[in-house]
Amino acid sequence: MDEHNGGRVGPETPHAVNLTKAETRPVTRPAGAPVAEADIRASDADRDRIAEILREALAEGRLDPEEHAERIDTVYRAKTMGELEHVVRDLPAAGGGRTRPEAYASGPGVPPADQNLVAIFSASVRKGRWQVPARINAVAVFGTVEIDLTEAVFPQQQVQINVTSIFGSVDIRVPENITVRSSGSGVLGSFEVTTNEAPDGDAPQVLVNGYAVLGSVDARPKRGAWVRDLRGRLREGHRELRHQLRDEHRERHQRMREERQEWHERLRAERRERRDRFRKGLDD
C-alpha cells in the first residue's frame, strides 16, 4: 500500500500509469535487427524442396496419399520458412532432401535380413514395394518362385540371388536401368539370365547364381520398368496437384473480387437511395 496517498493508485502515481502503458505497448523489432529464420519469407525453391521431402515420405510409406495431399496444399500456401519446416517436422528428411534417387542405396542403417523364398509343390511370390536384402535364396522344387524387383528399394548396391530349381521354375524381374550379371548353369534344364550393364555407376547390381535341374530359371528386365519410375509418377502427381491448387486459388480470388464488387455496388446504390430520400425530404 502506498503511504503517500492512502493506498490509492490514481493520477498521483505516475509510475503505475507508465507501467500499464508499457505493458500494453506492442513489441516491435528494432530497426536493423536481424529477422528470425522462421520469419523469413519462403521462395518457390524452398517450397519445392519441402515438396520433394514429402514425395520421399510418400514413396517410403511414411505418409498416406491423403496426408501427402494435405501437406502439399499447406506447402504451397505457406508464406514463411517456419510454416514450411513445420510441415516436415516429424519426417526424418526434415533437415534437407536427398540428392540421389530414392530407390538407390539409402545410407547408414540396419540392412534387411537375408530372405528365403521356398516353393515345394507350391508357389512363393515377392513383389511390390519392399526393401531388397543383400542376399535372397530362392528354392523351387516342383513349385514356382517369383521375384519382382521393379518397384523395390535397394538399401545397398549389391544384391545376390542364389537360385535352386529342381523340377520347378524361378522367375526374376528387374528394372531396365540396373546392372544384372549371372554365373549359374542348367543341368537338363534352362538357366536364362539377360545380363545388363547400367549406364549409372551408382545403380543397383544384381548377381544371379545357382543351377536348374530339369527346371527353369528366367531373369530379365521388365520392359518399361525403371528404378526412378515411382519418383517420376510422384513428381507428375505433384505437378498436377500444384496446377490444381493454382486453379483453385485463381477461382477463389475471382469469386472474392466479384463479391467485393457486388458489395461495393450495393453500398453505392444504398448511398444514392439515402441521398435521394434526404434531398426529397428537403424539397418537401
Side-chain angles (χ1 to χ4, degrees), residues 2 5 8-23:
D2 195 329
N5 57 10
R8 293 179 292 104
V9 179
E12 296 83 357
T13 57
H15 176 72
V17 174
N18 292 337
L19 179 60
T20 303
K21 291 181 178 179
E23 290 176 348

Side-chain angles (χ1 to χ4, degrees), residues 193-228:
V193 176
T194 303
T195 59
N196 182 56
E197 289 293 332
D200 185 355
D202 291 330
Q205 299 177 6
V206 175
L207 176 61
V208 182
N209 299 323
Y211 58 91
V213 178
L214 295 173
S216 66
V217 175
D218 183 15
R220 64 176 183 270
K222 185 176 181 179
R223 187 174 301 277
W226 287 60
V227 169
R228 306 185 189 201

Side-chain angles (χ1 to χ4, degrees), residues 134-154:
R135 185 185 302 273
I136 300 175
N137 301 312
V139 178
V141 180
F142 291 97
T144 301
V145 174
E146 180 182 349
I147 303 174
D148 190 340
L149 305 178
T150 56
E151 295 185 5
V153 175
F154 294 82

Side-chain angles (χ1 to χ4, degrees), residues 66-189:
E66 183 178 354
E67 291 173 326
H68 177 263
E70 291 176 355
R71 296 197 186 197
I72 283 290
D73 181 66
T74 302
V75 165
Y76 287 103
R77 296 174 188 270
K79 301 298 183 183
T80 65
M81 294 299 298
E83 295 175 0
L84 286 179
E85 295 300 332
H86 182 75
V87 175
V88 293
R89 70 190 185 283
D90 58 346
L91 298 177
R98 286 175 294 183
T99 57
R100 297 180 64 188
E102 178 270 341
Y104 284 13
S106 58
V110 179
D114 293 354
Q115 189 161 32
N116 299 319
L117 300 175
V118 180
I120 301 177
F121 291 97
S122 62
S124 180
V125 179
R126 194 68 173 93
K127 61 181 180 179
R129 194 68 175 166
W130 61 297
Q131 286 198 355
V132 182
R135 185 185 302 273
I136 300 175
N137 301 312
V139 178
V141 180
F142 291 97
T144 301
V145 174
E146 180 182 349
I147 303 174
D148 190 340
L149 305 178
T150 56
E151 295 185 5
V153 175
F154 294 82
Q156 61 285 314
Q157 187 178 24
Q158 301 286 341
V159 176
Q160 181 172 330
I161 303 179
N162 299 320
V163 179
T164 300
S165 177
I166 302 176
F167 290 97
S169 65
V170 177
D171 294 326
I172 303 171
R173 297 295 176 265
V174 300
E176 287 188 329
N177 60 331
I178 71 172
T179 297
V180 181
R181 300 189 179 98
S182 172
S183 61
S185 60
V187 180
L188 299 178

